Amino acid sequence: MHTSSEPTLRDVVDLVHGWYPPGTADSWDRVGLVHGDPAQPVRRIMMAVDPSPAVAQEAADWGADLLVVHHPLFLKGVHGFTTETPKGRTLHTLARAGCALLAAHTNADQAEGGVSESLALALGLDDLRPILTAPRPALDKLGVLVPVADADRLRAALAEVGAGRLGDYESASFTVEGVGRFRPLPGATPTIGTVGDLEEVPEERVEVVAPRSRRSEVLRAMLAVHPYEEPAYDVVELADPGLSSTGTGRVGTVEPMSLAAFAARVAEVLPPTVHGVRVGGDPDREVRRVAVCGGAGDFLLDTVLDMGSSGGADVYVTSDLRHHPASEFLEHDGPALVDVAHWAAEWTWLPVLEARLRAALVGERGATVETRVSTRCTDPWTFRPDAHTAHPTARRDR
């Protein structure tokens, strides 16, 4: 990281990408640095859900050097961005003010400290785990037999190409000693032993874990340093245990309360919107376990329903639920539904991101950086007409 007390844009982008790696974003998504000079200094950082023209103007008026948003400005290809379009006005406003733009979307949805986790924590959930765990990178386990005298050189060569990396540890391996037996046949040029004679050699079995994507590179490194013509080795593809702490949505626990009381908590915690909080279910049912998904979460309805049938969730909190999927979900007598404004649910991530940035830049580094979370509501719904009393003959299921 830049050594001055004034971080560069590259420094901040590296932090955000370290917490929310762009490689974990969905294939259709467009995340990362949208605009800005990576070498420019950053003194003021503003955070918002949407890169709307009004938000861009707010950032410019405040003198922000960087605007970090959840929703990307450009999801589809464009051939220009003039001020005649809303997206063009957004970028023009930021560029004129010297304010960079960084988007963290689906890469921030699944991560620890991300959108769904922030929503869950804001609602008071404990014992969090993903609804759907993210697959971990595919791993192999290589086991190779090598003479004791050559084992250290082999381990070093494997570590050099990334084998033996486990989380924050490197050069991790397991070794067990034994005796190798073999008889070189005519045509062999054995490193140890004589053609035609049965040989016994003290050997070690060295086992390491390696990324499956680097299998060929790891095997070439092993073969290059192994003293035998025909090393004995095996490669086992490791199964994903499904224990990742990252993934889609979150499920956790709350102290027992009624659905009505839990819905009131949701309404109190989230920033107010015209959309408000909509609830489907018996107001008196008990709520203990809660599933949440920041943003549009109807794609998880079947998964949450299966969890509910086994005691996994009493209520599912998400956004943008449509009539028919919600109705059919509730007809199964599974979890209740709480539908909240998309913007409000995802806004809960912004204070978490701000705290992480301040801890890293100001707390750890002592940088003179100001941060700001935009409270401008960019939910598309702006008002409701005066409510009328429902007709006595109105039916809920018509």
Side-chain angles (χ1 to χ4, degrees):
M1 183 178 277
H2 188 62
T3 57
S4 131
S5 62
E6 193 174 78
T8 65
L9 176 58
R10 179 178 288 107
D11 293 333
V12 181
V13 170
D14 287 346
L15 280 174
V16 174
H17 284 176
W19 299 324
Y20 314 109
T24 63
D26 291 340
S27 59
W28 52 263
D29 206 0
R30 298 294 180 267
V31 302
L33 187 61
V34 179
H35 159 74
D37 178 359
Q40 74 184 63
V42 172
R43 305 174 188 89
R44 286 185 168 184
I45 305 171
M46 194 176 93
M47 286 138 279
V49 174
D50 295 297
S52 67
V55 168
Q57 191 62 56
E58 180 185 355
D61 291 344
W62 183 57
D65 302 298
L66 171 62
L67 173 62
V68 183
V69 293
H70 182 49
H71 293 142
L73 180 63
F74 300 113
L75 267 178
K76 299 179 180 178
V78 297
H79 65 274
F81 32 84
T82 73
T83 57
E84 295 179 341
T85 67
K87 293 183 182 297
R89 287 195 295 276
T90 291
L91 193 59
H92 179 76
T93 298
L94 294 174
R96 184 173 54 191
C99 181
L101 179 63
L102 173 65
H105 192 209
T106 52
N107 53 319
D109 284 333
Q110 299 191 45
E112 293 183 78
V115 175
S116 285
E117 183 174 293
S118 298
L119 174 60
L121 293 175
L123 298 181
L125 273 62
D126 293 316
D127 304 321
L128 296 181
R129 62 175 177 82
I131 295 175
L132 293 175
T133 56
R136 74 176 186 185
L139 296 175
D140 287 341
K141 184 177 72 172
L142 168 66
V144 55
L145 302 177
V146 61
V148 173
D150 299 282
D152 285 342
R153 190 161 64 99
L154 176 69
R155 279 187 283 264
L158 293 173
E160 183 82 17
V161 292
R165 182 69 184 263
L166 296 171
D168 294 330
Y169 297 83
E170 63 178 15
S171 300
S173 66
F174 174 77
T175 302
V176 61
E177 293 187 0
V179 176
R181 293 177 177 83
F182 53 87
R183 187 194 308 276
L185 298 176
T189 55
T191 303
I192 300 174
T194 304
V195 171
D197 295 338
L198 186 63
E199 189 69 32
E200 292 188 355
V201 181
E203 292 181 338
E204 291 183 355
R205 176 177 172 84
V206 176
E207 294 185 352
V208 293
V209 172
R212 193 171 304 162
S213 60
R214 306 190 71 177
R215 179 185 292 174
S216 296
E217 186 178 357
V218 169
L219 290 179
R220 288 192 187 98
M222 180 270 291
L223 293 171
V225 300
H226 203 290
Y228 289 171
E229 281 187 292
E230 300 289 344
Y233 68 91
D234 55 79
V235 177
V236 178
E237 295 187 353
L238 299 182
D240 188 340
L243 299 177
S244 173
S245 57
T246 64
T248 304
R250 292 294 186 272
V251 60
T253 59
V254 294
E255 67 276 14
M257 66 182 75
S258 68
L259 176 61
F262 176 75
R265 172 186 287 189
V266 175
E268 180 181 0
V269 166
L270 296 186
T273 59
V274 170
H275 175 287
V277 176
R278 303 186 298 178
V279 185
D282 180 356
D284 297 322
R285 76 172 290 170
E286 185 176 71
V287 170
R288 291 174 178 266
R289 287 186 59 77
V290 179
V292 306
C293 179
D298 61 357
F299 69 99
L300 285 175
L301 284 172
D302 288 342
T303 302
V304 174
L305 186 63
D306 290 341
M307 292 170 52
S309 64
S310 61
D314 301 306
V315 61
Y316 178 39
V317 183
T318 190
S319 304
D320 303 336
L321 290 176
R322 294 169 294 155
H323 174 86
H324 291 295
S327 295
E328 292 169 3
F329 179 91
L330 293 171
E331 288 169 358
H332 287 278
D333 295 325
L337 288 176
V338 175
D339 182 84
V340 302
H342 190 121
W343 170 84
E346 295 181 331
W347 185 91
T348 60
W349 171 61
L350 303 182
V352 174
L353 175 61
E354 180 185 36
R356 297 186 85 168
L357 285 171
R358 290 194 63 81
L361 294 172
V362 180
E364 295 179 11
R365 176 172 172 170
T368 53
V369 174
E370 296 180 65
T371 59
R372 177 177 181 175
V373 170
S374 174
T375 57
R376 179 181 298 274
C377 179
T378 50
D379 193 74
W381 311 115
T382 55
F383 75 94
R384 288 179 183 270
D386 292 338
H388 298 285
T389 303
H391 191 279
T393 60
R395 291 182 46 170
R396 180 183 182 277
D397 58 349
R398 69 178 179 178

